[in-house]
């Protein structure tokens, strides 16, 4: 059953506590929204999702159904147990930050996934002195044999979802990426809301 639900507003971030075994269903309402994703251990915030160790453990640069996100201590933190669109989610690109938007020509302040990460943690009375690499759900980044990569609009459609099962007690942090200059969030370059539901008995619950 659904324990709780929430909306992550476009260009903003949210943090949520999860118990081991609980499932987070993240729905891409409009189909075009990338969701930068992190987790930190409740027992020790110094344990957090690590993309380099995740790639090593899964022997893949992509994140797909059945794979686990592991921590900097190489312990499973979350497993992707369902994916309505069967996507290859990105583990390579960095979470956007202020300097990235300055280089893209923005004047003044522009929201970023890095800021969203720290804002969400501060609301939980936690923080890290740096921004870890993010798991980029729904981000479409093809990689070619020569090592080059491209940035495409998400391949997901409105209503597509992923389901992440917590493998330990953790704080889940999501950022509805504020990118509105490149096509990362779709050809119309417009960030959108996403929803999240926390459920038990996941296979018996319609997503």
């Amino acid at each position: 059953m659904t324990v709780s639900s929430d909306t992550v507003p476009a260009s903003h971030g949210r943090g949520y506590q999860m118990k081991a075994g609980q499932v987070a269903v993240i729905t891409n309402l409009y189909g075009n929204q990338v969701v930068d994703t992190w987790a930190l251990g409740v027992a020790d915030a110094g344990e957090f999702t690590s993309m380099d160790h995740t790639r090593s453990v899964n022997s893949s640069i992509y994140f797909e159904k059945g794979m686990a996100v592991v921590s900097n201590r190489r312990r499973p933190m979350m497993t992707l147990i369902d994916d309505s669109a069967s996507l290859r989610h990105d583990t390579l690109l960095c979470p956007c930050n202020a300097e990235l938007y300055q280089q893209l020509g923005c004047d003044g302040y522009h929201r970023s996934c890095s800021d969203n990460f720290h804002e969400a943690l501060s609301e939980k009375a936690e923080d890290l002195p740096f921004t870890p690499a993010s798991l980029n759900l729904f981000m479409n980044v093809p990689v070619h044999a020569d090592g080059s990569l491209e940035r495409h609009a998400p391949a997901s459609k409105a209503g597509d979802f992923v389901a992440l099962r917590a493998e330990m007690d953790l704080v889940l942090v999501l950022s509805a990426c504020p990118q509105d200059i490149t096509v990362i969030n779709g050809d119309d370059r417009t960030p959108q809301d996403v929803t999240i539901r926390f459920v038990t008995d996941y296979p018996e619950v319609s997503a």
Side-chain angles (χ1 to χ4, degrees):
M1 67 176 188
T2 299
V3 176
S4 62
S5 61
D6 195 22
T7 296
V8 182
S11 300
H12 289 73
R14 291 286 187 271
Y16 308 93
Q17 287 203 340
M18 294 182 68
K19 294 288 188 181
Q22 198 171 33
V23 175
V25 180
I26 302 163
T27 301
N28 206 327
L29 295 174
Y30 300 89
N32 65 310
Q33 182 60 50
V34 165
V35 183
D36 286 40
T37 305
W38 302 264
L40 288 77
V42 169
D44 180 0
E47 183 168 19
F48 49 85
T49 45
S50 166
M51 291 302 98
D52 50 352
H53 287 290
T54 295
R55 289 190 292 268
S56 175
V57 167
N58 291 319
S59 296
S60 178
I61 60 174
Y62 296 115
F63 187 67
E64 301 177 76
K65 182 179 176 180
M67 292 182 177
V69 185
V70 304
S71 73
N72 52 318
R73 297 172 189 165
R74 294 179 74 88
R75 297 201 302 164
M77 297 193 79
M78 301 183 293
T79 301
L80 184 61
I81 62 171
D82 204 356
D83 183 345
S84 66
S86 299
L87 300 175
R88 287 180 159 183
H89 304 272
D90 175 67
T91 69
L92 295 175
L93 292 194
C94 61
C96 55
N97 61 11
E99 290 75 15
L100 181 149
Y101 289 109
Q102 289 170 5
Q103 291 174 1
L104 290 175
C106 291
D107 293 326
Y109 179 70
H110 192 292
R111 296 199 66 85
S112 71
C113 287
S114 294
D115 286 351
N116 288 346
F117 171 78
H118 293 287
E119 286 179 9
L121 281 187
S122 68
E123 292 174 359
K124 299 294 180 183
E126 297 187 37
D127 202 5
L128 288 176
F130 59 93
T131 307
S134 53
L135 167 64
N136 302 312
L137 294 174
F138 305 106
M139 188 181 283
N140 187 5
V141 182
V143 178
H144 301 292
D146 64 0
S148 63
L149 56 80
E150 297 181 45
R151 295 162 175 82
H152 289 180
S156 47
K157 300 180 180 63
D160 276 333
F161 65 89
V162 296
L164 293 168
R165 183 181 65 219
E167 305 298 350
M168 63 173 70
D169 293 353
L170 55 82
V171 176
L172 175 68
V173 180
L174 304 179
S175 171
C177 180
Q179 178 59 262
D180 55 3
I181 300 171
T182 74
V183 297
I184 280 293
N185 281 325
D187 293 331
D188 61 357
R189 295 168 169 79
T190 303
Q192 302 282 2
D193 297 351
V194 297
T195 60
I196 182 168
R197 293 190 298 118
F198 297 97
V199 303
T200 57
D201 301 321
Y202 171 74
E204 300 174 13
V205 179
S206 173

